[in-house]
Amino acid sequence: QVQFVESGGGLVQPGGSLRLSCVASGISVRYTTIGWYRQAPGKQREWVAQMPFGRVPNYIDSVKGRFTMSRDNAKNTVYLQLNSLEPDDTAAYYCNTTPQRDWGQGTQVTVSS
């Protein structure tokens, strides 16, 4: 059974940084296309960043230059470094593969002064 456990969220002021982690089990992140998604209150879940198998990550325009996705194959973990955070980044963040599996519990990021 494939599972994702996200962590690293929190409350941060505008301009701050966070590093999110997603530990996968039941699947190897090395050999799959995996991405980060977010869902703000009252909005649909949206794709934020994706690391296609064997390729460099790509990002939605609103986070380019601020967010960086990386992968540690030995730990079967993917990361999302969030810099220069803005209030519009407030959301629950999730990771998942393509095609999507069951969602984890996510990790909440709140950007507020």
Side-chain angles (χ1 to χ4, degrees), residues 9-10 17 23 26 46 56 62 66 72 74-75 82 84 94 102 104 106 109:
S17 299
V23 179
E46 66 175 353
V56 297
S62 62
R66 300 189 298 118
D72 185 331
K75 295 182 178 180
L82 286 62
S84 302
Y94 305 83
D102 289 342
V109 172

Side-chain angles (χ1 to χ4, degrees), residues 69-92:
M69 183 174 178
S70 60
R71 176 170 53 198
D72 185 331
N73 295 329
K75 295 182 178 180
N76 213 35
T77 299
V78 294
Y79 302 96
L80 188 65
Q81 178 68 41
L82 286 62
N83 296 330
S84 302
L85 281 161
E86 303 169 355
D88 284 349
D89 296 319
T90 295

Side-chain angles (χ1 to χ4, degrees):
Q1 182 180 1
V2 177
Q3 290 185 322
F4 304 105
V5 179
E6 300 92 347
S7 62
L11 173 63
V12 63
Q13 292 185 342
S17 299
L18 288 171
R19 188 193 193 204
L20 308 184
S21 301
C22 169
V23 179
S25 59
I27 195 168
S28 173
V29 301
R30 180 197 295 260
Y31 299 115
T32 190
T33 293
I34 190 164
W36 283 93
Y37 301 76
R38 68 185 179 186
Q39 186 169 19
K43 295 186 178 181
Q44 289 190 332
R45 187 174 289 155
E46 66 175 353
W47 164 82
V48 175
Q50 186 184 63
M51 184 174 286
F53 172 55
R55 300 175 66 180
V56 297
N58 46 75
Y59 307 89
I60 58 169
D61 287 345
S62 62
V63 308
K64 283 182 180 177
R66 300 189 298 118
F67 292 7
T68 303
M69 183 174 178
S70 60
R71 176 170 53 198
D72 185 331
N73 295 329
K75 295 182 178 180
N76 213 35
T77 299
V78 294
Y79 302 96
L80 188 65
Q81 178 68 41
L82 286 62
N83 296 330
S84 302
L85 281 161
E86 303 169 355
D88 284 349
D89 296 319
T90 295
Y93 285 71
Y94 305 83
C95 67
N96 210 323
T97 55
T98 300
Q100 291 173 357
R101 316 275 185 159
D102 289 342
W103 294 93
Q105 84 287 351
T107 187
Q108 178 67 37
V109 172
T110 302
V111 185
S112 175
S113 55

